Amino acid sequence: MASGSHWAPGRAANSRKTVVVSGIPEGIVKDDVMADILMIHFQKTKNRGGDVKDVVYPTTIKGVAYIIFEDQEVTENVLQKDEHRLEDKRLGRYYPLKISLYSEHVFTCVSSVLDLSIFGDKYILEDLVQELKKTIPALSFSPLQSNGQISVQGSFPAIKTLKDNLLLKANSLSGKGKRGERKPDQRPNIRIQKCGLFVEPNNTFVHNVNRKEQVVVLDTDIYYYMKHFLYKESLAKYNVVSHGVTDGEITTVYLENARASSDSRELERAKEGIEDLSAKLHCRLRKERFSLDGNTRPERQKYKQACESIKSRFPKVLVIPYDTHIDVIGSSSETYEFTQEVNRTVKSHFQKRFRR
């Protein structure tokens, strides 16, 4: 059964049976036909699929669908498949899909406000927007404002592609302009909104465009996880120097050669390796959150103590404490077990105090 675009994933009886699918081509077939194609894809054994309870397509996010399985085990099998290709004779060719587990705290939709006014000397902004629409069809663009600002909405991978595209264009502006004069560093501003949180950037969009470097845009949670657990396999694996700059939900990692004589291809290999690892983690990781708002100070402290005491039993779970909440990042099964154990520990503690 296919549902309409007004369905909200939070209504699912069990979000652990729901996956988010992005990269779905639009305008090739009717929406109900695409829903059927998706249903068939996720039922096939070769795709590690099984019984599908519901296909939610179209949704409010362009190129994104929600697939709800009857069995959680099938969901996990689908997520473990390295590559999903949507193939059907009605599509004309195959389309690579991005699959991730739905979570209330890992959002697939990112909204950004871009200031394109710095490109005004080199591009007709309306033509630039049309070019971006064709290059990244998974994004939705608002009308361009007279001051050069435009709102963009889409999945994180699509926003990442947009940012990479604009970085290249901004780099070109550090050279000569139309009239042959040297242009100063141009830095398009971006404001990011994710899961209802508006974040003003506290750093520039483009970093030192005059130096040879590669830029990788990562989800901040994935960056923290990668840096904490997989540093040798990612940031330290190559002969490069790296540092990350975080703007809310997105972290930009800048890669530079460790030595001036280093091969520039090493930077490219580093970028590709980190992006590949990020894509794998995007499919594997899930985030749970303990909200501390409304709790008393002793309750907040007990949650933090419980997390500290338990995390040694979960060596692949990352715990990030904040004033208002605690984020727990890891595989679906481990984050679930971790949060259950913390809740039991806290509940047991206060039950004992109450009996006294």
Side-chain angles (χ1 to χ4, degrees):
M1 180 181 74
S3 301
S5 60
H6 298 291
W7 177 87
R11 297 177 191 169
N14 189 345
S15 62
R16 297 179 188 281
K17 298 179 182 179
T18 304
V19 297
V20 184
V21 182
S22 59
I24 300 169
E26 294 203 338
I28 298 177
V29 295
K30 293 183 178 179
D31 291 341
D32 58 340
V33 175
M34 181 58 74
D36 288 339
I37 293 173
L38 290 167
M39 172 83 77
I40 293 169
H41 175 88
F42 288 102
Q43 287 176 332
K44 288 183 177 179
T45 304
K46 73 172 187 176
N47 297 323
R48 307 194 70 173
D51 292 337
V52 175
K53 181 179 181 180
D54 199 2
V55 175
V56 183
Y57 184 83
T59 66
T60 54
I61 308 172
K62 196 172 181 179
V64 170
Y66 300 100
I67 311 297
I68 308 170
F69 295 99
E70 295 283 358
D71 192 339
Q72 182 177 331
E73 184 179 354
V74 176
T75 307
E76 294 170 355
N77 290 339
V78 166
L79 291 169
Q80 289 170 6
K81 181 174 170 58
D82 291 335
E83 183 181 30
H84 280 269
R85 293 184 173 189
L86 190 63
E87 297 179 278
D88 189 283
K89 62 182 181 181
R90 291 167 287 186
L91 300 180
R93 66 178 182 87
Y94 79 83
Y95 291 86
L97 299 177
K98 176 78 172 178
I99 314 295
S100 58
L101 181 66
Y102 171 77
S103 168
E104 293 179 3
H105 302 304
V106 178
F107 289 80
T108 59
C109 182
V110 180
S111 297
S112 300
V113 178
L114 303 177
D115 184 359
L116 302 179
S117 59
I118 68 142
F119 295 107
D121 289 343
K122 188 170 183 179
Y123 297 94
I124 298 174
L125 294 187
E126 290 79 4
D127 292 345
L128 175 60
V129 172
Q130 289 303 317
E131 177 190 334
L132 294 173
K133 286 181 178 180
K134 291 180 180 179
T135 305
I136 317 170
L139 290 176
S140 296
F141 292 80
S142 71
L144 179 67
Q145 298 179 29
S146 58
N147 61 1
Q149 291 193 349
I150 189 170
S151 297
V152 186
Q153 185 182 69
S155 65
F156 173 79
I159 292 289
K160 174 187 177 302
T161 302
L162 172 66
K163 191 170 183 180
D164 287 344
N165 187 297
L166 291 177
L167 276 168
L168 290 174
K169 293 183 185 301
N171 280 331
S172 71
L173 293 183
S174 65
K176 292 184 177 180
K178 278 183 179 179
R179 301 174 181 83
E181 73 273 16
R182 187 74 183 175
K183 304 285 284 186
D185 286 0
Q186 302 291 315
R187 306 174 187 271
N189 292 325
I190 179 170
R191 297 182 295 175
I192 300 166
Q193 184 175 351
K194 193 173 180 184
C195 62
L197 177 64
F198 182 76
V199 181
E200 282 282 354
N202 48 19
N203 58 70
T204 56
F205 189 15
V206 181
H207 172 78
N208 195 1
V209 294
N210 292 323
R211 183 183 298 175
K212 280 190 176 181
E213 63 181 16
Q214 289 285 350
V215 179
V216 186
V217 183
L218 301 174
D219 181 281
T220 295
D221 293 326
I222 289 178
Y223 170 72
Y224 286 153
Y225 192 91
M226 188 184 295
K227 186 176 180 180
H228 190 83
F229 291 116
L230 303 168
Y231 185 75
K232 290 184 178 179
E233 300 171 40
S234 56
L235 303 176
K237 181 178 179 181
Y238 304 92
N239 189 29
V240 299
V241 177
S242 67
H243 69 277
V245 180
T246 297
D247 274 345
E249 305 288 342
I250 292 180
T251 293
T252 304
V253 180
Y254 299 97
L255 306 173
E256 298 173 4
N257 283 322
R259 297 187 301 272
S261 59
S262 298
D263 188 347
S264 61
R265 289 175 295 182
E266 188 71 7
L267 280 178
E268 297 176 7
R269 287 191 290 268
K271 178 180 179 179
E272 292 173 0
I274 292 172
E275 287 180 334
D276 289 344
L277 180 58
S278 171
K280 292 176 181 177
L281 291 177
H282 189 77
C283 294
R284 280 172 38 201
L285 296 182
R286 176 185 176 86
K287 178 165 72 175
E288 296 283 1
R289 174 170 293 176
F290 294 108
S291 177
L292 304 180
D293 283 338
N295 289 357
T296 64
R297 184 174 179 179
E299 288 172 338
R300 292 196 297 269
Q301 191 63 30
K302 190 57 191 177
Y303 269 104
K304 291 181 180 180
Q305 290 174 351
C307 288
E308 282 297 316
S309 64
I310 291 169
K311 70 179 185 180
S312 62
R313 306 207 308 261
F314 296 85
K316 291 299 183 181
V317 169
L318 178 62
V319 179
I320 308 177
Y322 298 93
D323 291 337
T324 58
H325 62 274
I326 303 171
D327 283 342
V328 180
I329 304 169
S331 68
S332 178
S333 59
E334 287 189 317
T335 53
Y336 176 77
E337 292 173 12
F338 184 95
T339 53
Q340 292 297 306
E341 186 65 24
V342 169
N343 285 329
R344 283 194 293 267
T345 300
V346 173
K347 183 178 179 180
S348 174
H349 171 79
F350 285 105
Q351 282 178 340
K352 288 177 181 178
R353 288 188 59 184
F354 180 76
R355 291 192 192 104
R356 293 175 189 169

